[in-house]
Each structure stands twice: as C-alpha cells, then as structure tokens.
PDB file of all heavy atoms in Angstrom:
ATOM      1  N   ASP U   1    -121.228   0.800  30.495  1.00  0.00           N
ATOM      2  CA  ASP U   1    -121.217  -0.285  31.492  1.00  0.00           C
ATOM      3  C   ASP U   1    -121.840  -1.547  30.904  1.00  0.00           C
ATOM      4  O   ASP U   1    -121.321  -2.656  31.087  1.00  0.00           O
ATOM      5  CB  ASP U   1    -121.979   0.123  32.757  1.00  0.00           C
ATOM      6  CG  ASP U   1    -121.247   1.163  33.583  1.00  0.00           C
ATOM      7  OD1 ASP U   1    -120.031   1.370  33.358  1.00  0.00           O
ATOM      8  OD2 ASP U   1    -121.900   1.777  34.454  1.00  0.00           O
ATOM      9  N   ARG U   2    -122.943  -1.379  30.180  1.00  0.00           N
ATOM     10  CA  ARG U   2    -123.609  -2.536  29.566  1.00  0.00           C
ATOM     11  C   ARG U   2    -122.726  -3.159  28.488  1.00  0.00           C
ATOM     12  O   ARG U   2    -122.663  -4.388  28.370  1.00  0.00           O
ATOM     13  CB  ARG U   2    -124.959  -2.106  28.980  1.00  0.00           C
ATOM     14  CG  ARG U   2    -125.725  -3.261  28.380  1.00  0.00           C
ATOM     15  CD  ARG U   2    -126.072  -4.300  29.423  1.00  0.00           C
ATOM     16  NE  ARG U   2    -126.847  -5.365  28.837  1.00  0.00           N
ATOM     17  CZ  ARG U   2    -126.750  -6.645  29.175  1.00  0.00           C
ATOM     18  NH1 ARG U   2    -125.913  -7.025  30.126  1.00  0.00           N
ATOM     19  NH2 ARG U   2    -127.490  -7.547  28.602  1.00  0.00           N
ATOM     20  N   LEU U   3    -122.023  -2.338  27.731  1.00  0.00           N
ATOM     21  CA  LEU U   3    -121.124  -2.878  26.705  1.00  0.00           C
ATOM     22  C   LEU U   3    -119.995  -3.674  27.350  1.00  0.00           C
ATOM     23  O   LEU U   3    -119.602  -4.733  26.845  1.00  0.00           O
ATOM     24  CB  LEU U   3    -120.556  -1.751  25.836  1.00  0.00           C
ATOM     25  CG  LEU U   3    -121.546  -1.016  24.943  1.00  0.00           C
ATOM     26  CD1 LEU U   3    -120.835   0.066  24.145  1.00  0.00           C
ATOM     27  CD2 LEU U   3    -122.289  -1.960  24.031  1.00  0.00           C
ATOM     28  N   SER U   4    -119.488  -3.192  28.465  1.00  0.00           N
ATOM     29  CA  SER U   4    -118.439  -3.933  29.185  1.00  0.00           C
ATOM     30  C   SER U   4    -118.963  -5.276  29.665  1.00  0.00           C
ATOM     31  O   SER U   4    -118.261  -6.287  29.607  1.00  0.00           O
ATOM     32  CB  SER U   4    -117.931  -3.112  30.371  1.00  0.00           C
ATOM     33  OG  SER U   4    -117.347  -1.915  29.928  1.00  0.00           O
ATOM     34  N   GLN U   5    -120.206  -5.299  30.147  1.00  0.00           N
ATOM     35  CA  GLN U   5    -120.819  -6.553  30.577  1.00  0.00           C
ATOM     36  C   GLN U   5    -120.988  -7.509  29.398  1.00  0.00           C
ATOM     37  O   GLN U   5    -120.774  -8.711  29.523  1.00  0.00           O
ATOM     38  CB  GLN U   5    -122.181  -6.289  31.214  1.00  0.00           C
ATOM     39  CG  GLN U   5    -122.131  -5.554  32.528  1.00  0.00           C
ATOM     40  CD  GLN U   5    -123.521  -5.132  32.992  1.00  0.00           C
ATOM     41  OE1 GLN U   5    -124.529  -5.389  32.329  1.00  0.00           O
ATOM     42  NE2 GLN U   5    -123.571  -4.460  34.141  1.00  0.00           N
ATOM     43  N   LEU U   6    -121.377  -6.965  28.245  1.00  0.00           N
ATOM     44  CA  LEU U   6    -121.572  -7.815  27.072  1.00  0.00           C
ATOM     45  C   LEU U   6    -120.262  -8.426  26.594  1.00  0.00           C
ATOM     46  O   LEU U   6    -120.248  -9.552  26.098  1.00  0.00           O
ATOM     47  CB  LEU U   6    -122.217  -7.017  25.928  1.00  0.00           C
ATOM     48  CG  LEU U   6    -123.691  -6.677  26.108  1.00  0.00           C
ATOM     49  CD1 LEU U   6    -124.167  -5.794  24.961  1.00  0.00           C
ATOM     50  CD2 LEU U   6    -124.546  -7.925  26.198  1.00  0.00           C
ATOM     51  N   ILE U   7    -119.172  -7.699  26.739  1.00  0.00           N
ATOM     52  CA  ILE U   7    -117.868  -8.247  26.348  1.00  0.00           C
ATOM     53  C   ILE U   7    -117.533  -9.453  27.212  1.00  0.00           C
ATOM     54  O   ILE U   7    -117.026 -10.467  26.733  1.00  0.00           O
ATOM     55  CB  ILE U   7    -116.776  -7.163  26.444  1.00  0.00           C
ATOM     56  CG1 ILE U   7    -116.963  -6.154  25.305  1.00  0.00           C
ATOM     57  CG2 ILE U   7    -115.386  -7.774  26.373  1.00  0.00           C
ATOM     58  CD1 ILE U   7    -116.053  -4.951  25.385  1.00  0.00           C
ATOM     59  N   MET U   8    -117.841  -9.376  28.498  1.00  0.00           N
ATOM     60  CA  MET U   8    -117.558 -10.470  29.429  1.00  0.00           C
ATOM     61  C   MET U   8    -118.533 -11.634  29.269  1.00  0.00           C
ATOM     62  O   MET U   8    -118.225 -12.760  29.644  1.00  0.00           O
ATOM     63  CB  MET U   8    -117.615  -9.975  30.880  1.00  0.00           C
ATOM     64  CG  MET U   8    -116.623  -8.892  31.198  1.00  0.00           C
ATOM     65  SD  MET U   8    -114.961  -9.485  30.885  1.00  0.00           S
ATOM     66  CE  MET U   8    -114.048  -7.982  30.963  1.00  0.00           C
ATOM     67  N   LEU U   9    -119.684 -11.363  28.685  1.00  0.00           N
ATOM     68  CA  LEU U   9    -120.716 -12.381  28.515  1.00  0.00           C
ATOM     69  C   LEU U   9    -120.276 -13.402  27.463  1.00  0.00           C
ATOM     70  O   LEU U   9    -119.843 -13.055  26.377  1.00  0.00           O
ATOM     71  CB  LEU U   9    -122.021 -11.713  28.063  1.00  0.00           C
ATOM     72  CG  LEU U   9    -123.230 -12.611  27.861  1.00  0.00           C
ATOM     73  CD1 LEU U   9    -123.714 -13.148  29.196  1.00  0.00           C
ATOM     74  CD2 LEU U   9    -124.330 -11.828  27.177  1.00  0.00           C
ATOM     75  N   THR U  10    -120.375 -14.664  27.830  1.00  0.00           N
ATOM     76  CA  THR U  10    -120.040 -15.730  26.875  1.00  0.00           C
ATOM     77  C   THR U  10    -121.340 -16.298  26.319  1.00  0.00           C
ATOM     78  O   THR U  10    -121.837 -17.313  26.776  1.00  0.00           O
ATOM     79  CB  THR U  10    -119.216 -16.842  27.548  1.00  0.00           C
ATOM     80  OG1 THR U  10    -119.943 -17.308  28.695  1.00  0.00           O
ATOM     81  CG2 THR U  10    -117.859 -16.341  27.947  1.00  0.00           C
ATOM     82  N   ALA U  11    -121.875 -15.594  25.348  1.00  0.00           N
ATOM     83  CA  ALA U  11    -123.137 -16.010  24.733  1.00  0.00           C
ATOM     84  C   ALA U  11    -122.882 -16.474  23.311  1.00  0.00           C
ATOM     85  O   ALA U  11    -122.034 -15.948  22.616  1.00  0.00           O
ATOM     86  CB  ALA U  11    -124.113 -14.839  24.725  1.00  0.00           C
ATOM     87  N   GLU U  12    -123.627 -17.494  22.929  1.00  0.00           N
ATOM     88  CA  GLU U  12    -123.552 -17.960  21.549  1.00  0.00           C
ATOM     89  C   GLU U  12    -124.179 -16.926  20.639  1.00  0.00           C
ATOM     90  O   GLU U  12    -125.078 -16.193  21.033  1.00  0.00           O
ATOM     91  CB  GLU U  12    -124.318 -19.276  21.401  1.00  0.00           C
ATOM     92  CG  GLU U  12    -123.668 -20.455  22.055  1.00  0.00           C
ATOM     93  CD  GLU U  12    -124.451 -21.732  21.789  1.00  0.00           C
ATOM     94  OE1 GLU U  12    -125.134 -21.817  20.749  1.00  0.00           O
ATOM     95  OE2 GLU U  12    -124.375 -22.632  22.627  1.00  0.00           O
ATOM     96  N   GLU U  13    -123.712 -16.895  19.398  1.00  0.00           N
ATOM     97  CA  GLU U  13    -124.314 -16.010  18.418  1.00  0.00           C
ATOM     98  C   GLU U  13    -125.759 -16.437  18.186  1.00  0.00           C
ATOM     99  O   GLU U  13    -126.061 -17.624  18.161  1.00  0.00           O
ATOM    100  CB  GLU U  13    -123.542 -16.058  17.093  1.00  0.00           C
ATOM    101  CG  GLU U  13    -122.165 -15.441  17.164  1.00  0.00           C
ATOM    102  CD  GLU U  13    -122.186 -13.946  17.406  1.00  0.00           C
ATOM    103  OE1 GLU U  13    -123.137 -13.265  16.963  1.00  0.00           O
ATOM    104  OE2 GLU U  13    -121.258 -13.456  18.072  1.00  0.00           O
ATOM    105  N   HIS U  14    -126.631 -15.479  18.055  1.00  0.00           N
ATOM    106  CA  HIS U  14    -128.031 -15.774  17.774  1.00  0.00           C
ATOM    107  C   HIS U  14    -128.110 -16.497  16.437  1.00  0.00           C
ATOM    108  O   HIS U  14    -127.411 -16.144  15.485  1.00  0.00           O
ATOM    109  CB  HIS U  14    -128.842 -14.484  17.742  1.00  0.00           C
ATOM    110  CG  HIS U  14    -130.309 -14.687  17.836  1.00  0.00           C
ATOM    111  ND1 HIS U  14    -131.058 -15.107  16.761  1.00  0.00           N
ATOM    112  CD2 HIS U  14    -131.165 -14.551  18.878  1.00  0.00           C
ATOM    113  CE1 HIS U  14    -132.321 -15.205  17.132  1.00  0.00           C
ATOM    114  NE2 HIS U  14    -132.420 -14.871  18.413  1.00  0.00           N
ATOM    115  N   LYS U  15    -128.946 -17.529  16.371  1.00  0.00           N
ATOM    116  CA  LYS U  15    -129.020 -18.323  15.145  1.00  0.00           C
ATOM    117  C   LYS U  15    -129.555 -17.512  13.966  1.00  0.00           C
ATOM    118  O   LYS U  15    -129.325 -17.862  12.822  1.00  0.00           O
ATOM    119  CB  LYS U  15    -129.862 -19.579  15.368  1.00  0.00           C
ATOM    120  CG  LYS U  15    -131.286 -19.311  15.784  1.00  0.00           C
ATOM    121  CD  LYS U  15    -132.014 -20.589  16.121  1.00  0.00           C
ATOM    122  CE  LYS U  15    -133.406 -20.264  16.665  1.00  0.00           C
ATOM    123  NZ  LYS U  15    -134.078 -21.440  17.143  1.00  0.00           N
ATOM    124  N   LYS U  16    -130.234 -16.410  14.234  1.00  0.00           N
ATOM    125  CA  LYS U  16    -130.742 -15.547  13.171  1.00  0.00           C
ATOM    126  C   LYS U  16    -130.004 -14.201  13.146  1.00  0.00           C
ATOM    127  O   LYS U  16    -130.585 -13.181  12.816  1.00  0.00           O
ATOM    128  CB  LYS U  16    -132.236 -15.302  13.361  1.00  0.00           C
ATOM    129  CG  LYS U  16    -133.092 -16.531  13.172  1.00  0.00           C
ATOM    130  CD  LYS U  16    -134.559 -16.196  13.220  1.00  0.00           C
ATOM    131  CE  LYS U  16    -135.422 -17.411  12.962  1.00  0.00           C
ATOM    132  NZ  LYS U  16    -136.849 -17.082  12.975  1.00  0.00           N
ATOM    133  N   LYS U  17    -128.722 -14.227  13.484  1.00  0.00           N
ATOM    134  CA  LYS U  17    -127.941 -12.981  13.556  1.00  0.00           C
ATOM    135  C   LYS U  17    -127.981 -12.223  12.238  1.00  0.00           C
ATOM    136  O   LYS U  17    -128.213 -11.008  12.217  1.00  0.00           O
ATOM    137  CB  LYS U  17    -126.494 -13.277  13.941  1.00  0.00           C
ATOM    138  CG  LYS U  17    -125.625 -12.044  13.999  1.00  0.00           C
ATOM    139  CD  LYS U  17    -124.199 -12.383  14.338  1.00  0.00           C
ATOM    140  CE  LYS U  17    -123.335 -11.133  14.316  1.00  0.00           C
ATOM    141  NZ  LYS U  17    -121.939 -11.431  14.579  1.00  0.00           N
ATOM    142  N   ASP U  18    -127.761 -12.915  11.128  1.00  0.00           N
ATOM    143  CA  ASP U  18    -127.770 -12.245   9.831  1.00  0.00           C
ATOM    144  C   ASP U  18    -129.147 -11.668   9.516  1.00  0.00           C
ATOM    145  O   ASP U  18    -129.257 -10.580   8.940  1.00  0.00           O
ATOM    146  CB  ASP U  18    -127.337 -13.204   8.726  1.00  0.00           C
ATOM    147  CG  ASP U  18    -125.871 -13.597   8.850  1.00  0.00           C
ATOM    148  OD1 ASP U  18    -125.096 -12.820   9.449  1.00  0.00           O
ATOM    149  OD2 ASP U  18    -125.507 -14.679   8.357  1.00  0.00           O
ATOM    150  N   GLY U  19    -130.190 -12.367   9.918  1.00  0.00           N
ATOM    151  CA  GLY U  19    -131.548 -11.868   9.717  1.00  0.00           C
ATOM    152  C   GLY U  19    -131.830 -10.635  10.553  1.00  0.00           C
ATOM    153  O   GLY U  19    -132.513  -9.714  10.099  1.00  0.00           O
ATOM    154  N   ILE U  20    -131.297 -10.616  11.768  1.00  0.00           N
ATOM    155  CA  ILE U  20    -131.475  -9.457  12.640  1.00  0.00           C
ATOM    156  C   ILE U  20    -130.776  -8.242  12.040  1.00  0.00           C
ATOM    157  O   ILE U  20    -131.345  -7.147  11.962  1.00  0.00           O
ATOM    158  CB  ILE U  20    -130.942  -9.745  14.057  1.00  0.00           C
ATOM    159  CG1 ILE U  20    -131.775 -10.844  14.723  1.00  0.00           C
ATOM    160  CG2 ILE U  20    -130.943  -8.485  14.913  1.00  0.00           C
ATOM    161  CD1 ILE U  20    -131.169 -11.391  15.998  1.00  0.00           C
ATOM    162  N   ILE U  21    -129.537  -8.430  11.594  1.00  0.00           N
ATOM    163  CA  ILE U  21    -128.781  -7.326  11.002  1.00  0.00           C
ATOM    164  C   ILE U  21    -129.476  -6.834   9.739  1.00  0.00           C
ATOM    165  O   ILE U  21    -129.626  -5.630   9.524  1.00  0.00           O
ATOM    166  CB  ILE U  21    -127.329  -7.764  10.716  1.00  0.00           C
ATOM    167  CG1 ILE U  21    -126.596  -8.037  12.032  1.00  0.00           C
ATOM    168  CG2 ILE U  21    -126.593  -6.710   9.899  1.00  0.00           C
ATOM    169  CD1 ILE U  21    -125.235  -8.684  11.873  1.00  0.00           C
ATOM    170  N   SER U  22    -129.937  -7.757   8.923  1.00  0.00           N
ATOM    171  CA  SER U  22    -130.646  -7.385   7.700  1.00  0.00           C
ATOM    172  C   SER U  22    -131.911  -6.598   8.021  1.00  0.00           C
ATOM    173  O   SER U  22    -132.227  -5.597   7.356  1.00  0.00           O
ATOM    174  CB  SER U  22    -130.986  -8.645   6.914  1.00  0.00           C
ATOM    175  OG  SER U  22    -131.737  -8.347   5.788  1.00  0.00           O
ATOM    176  N   LEU U  23    -132.646  -7.019   9.038  1.00  0.00           N
ATOM    177  CA  LEU U  23    -133.855  -6.320   9.447  1.00  0.00           C
ATOM    178  C   LEU U  23    -133.526  -4.915   9.929  1.00  0.00           C
ATOM    179  O   LEU U  23    -134.187  -3.943   9.551  1.00  0.00           O
ATOM    180  CB  LEU U  23    -134.589  -7.091  10.546  1.00  0.00           C
ATOM    181  CG  LEU U  23    -135.791  -6.379  11.165  1.00  0.00           C
ATOM    182  CD1 LEU U  23    -136.903  -6.262  10.138  1.00  0.00           C
ATOM    183  CD2 LEU U  23    -136.248  -7.086  12.406  1.00  0.00           C
ATOM    184  N   LEU U  24    -132.503  -4.778  10.776  1.00  0.00           N
ATOM    185  CA  LEU U  24    -132.130  -3.458  11.290  1.00  0.00           C
ATOM    186  C   LEU U  24    -131.764  -2.520  10.145  1.00  0.00           C
ATOM    187  O   LEU U  24    -132.145  -1.337  10.155  1.00  0.00           O
ATOM    188  CB  LEU U  24    -130.961  -3.581  12.280  1.00  0.00           C
ATOM    189  CG  LEU U  24    -131.266  -4.280  13.595  1.00  0.00           C
ATOM    190  CD1 LEU U  24    -129.990  -4.443  14.418  1.00  0.00           C
ATOM    191  CD2 LEU U  24    -132.317  -3.525  14.399  1.00  0.00           C
ATOM    192  N   PHE U  25    -131.029  -3.023   9.171  1.00  0.00           N
ATOM    193  CA  PHE U  25    -130.647  -2.190   8.038  1.00  0.00           C
ATOM    194  C   PHE U  25    -131.847  -1.833   7.166  1.00  0.00           C
ATOM    195  O   PHE U  25    -131.915  -0.729   6.619  1.00  0.00           O
ATOM    196  CB  PHE U  25    -129.580  -2.874   7.202  1.00  0.00           C
ATOM    197  CG  PHE U  25    -128.198  -2.841   7.817  1.00  0.00           C
ATOM    198  CD1 PHE U  25    -127.158  -3.470   7.187  1.00  0.00           C
ATOM    199  CD2 PHE U  25    -127.950  -2.198   9.023  1.00  0.00           C
ATOM    200  CE1 PHE U  25    -125.878  -3.444   7.737  1.00  0.00           C
ATOM    201  CE2 PHE U  25    -126.692  -2.176   9.585  1.00  0.00           C
ATOM    202  CZ  PHE U  25    -125.652  -2.788   8.938  1.00  0.00           C
ATOM    203  N   SER U  26    -132.779  -2.757   7.031  1.00  0.00           N
ATOM    204  CA  SER U  26    -133.930  -2.488   6.141  1.00  0.00           C
ATOM    205  C   SER U  26    -134.955  -1.539   6.763  1.00  0.00           C
ATOM    206  O   SER U  26    -135.665  -0.846   6.025  1.00  0.00           O
ATOM    207  CB  SER U  26    -134.600  -3.799   5.728  1.00  0.00           C
ATOM    208  OG  SER U  26    -135.213  -4.415   6.819  1.00  0.00           O
ATOM    209  N   ILE U  27    -135.027  -1.462   8.089  1.00  0.00           N
ATOM    210  CA  ILE U  27    -136.025  -0.571   8.700  1.00  0.00           C
ATOM    211  C   ILE U  27    -135.417   0.764   9.129  1.00  0.00           C
ATOM    212  O   ILE U  27    -136.115   1.600   9.694  1.00  0.00           O
ATOM    213  CB  ILE U  27    -136.747  -1.235   9.897  1.00  0.00           C
ATOM    214  CG1 ILE U  27    -135.775  -1.581  11.028  1.00  0.00           C
ATOM    215  CG2 ILE U  27    -137.526  -2.451   9.432  1.00  0.00           C
ATOM    216  CD1 ILE U  27    -136.454  -2.087  12.288  1.00  0.00           C
ATOM    217  N   SER U  28    -134.144   0.962   8.868  1.00  0.00           N
ATOM    218  CA  SER U  28    -133.536   2.268   9.156  1.00  0.00           C
ATOM    219  C   SER U  28    -133.264   2.984   7.838  1.00  0.00           C
ATOM    220  O   SER U  28    -133.110   2.348   6.805  1.00  0.00           O
ATOM    221  CB  SER U  28    -132.232   2.100   9.943  1.00  0.00           C
ATOM    222  OG  SER U  28    -131.255   1.463   9.168  1.00  0.00           O
TER     223      SER U  28
END
C-alpha cells in the first residue's frame, strides 16, 4: 500500500540521492 502511495507521490529526487544509496550499500 505504501509503495502504491509512493508511485502516486510527485516528489522531487532527494538532492543527496546518490549519497543515500552509497551509504545504504556501504553499511550493509
């Protein structure tokens, strides 16, 4: 349900998106 809501959400990409992804990969 939350994923469906996120698809409908018109949000700008986070300005640190690449940093967030890099962080998630480095701490897993």
Side-chain angles (χ1 to χ4, degrees):
D1 289 345
R2 182 63 178 144
L3 293 180
S4 298
Q5 292 171 0
L6 287 175
I7 288 173
M8 300 301 168
L9 181 69
T10 55
E12 289 183 27
E13 291 294 329
H14 196 283
K15 60 186 175 187
K16 293 186 177 181
K17 178 182 177 183
D18 292 335
I20 295 168
I21 294 171
S22 176
L23 173 68
L24 292 175
F25 284 177
S26 68
I27 62 173
S28 66

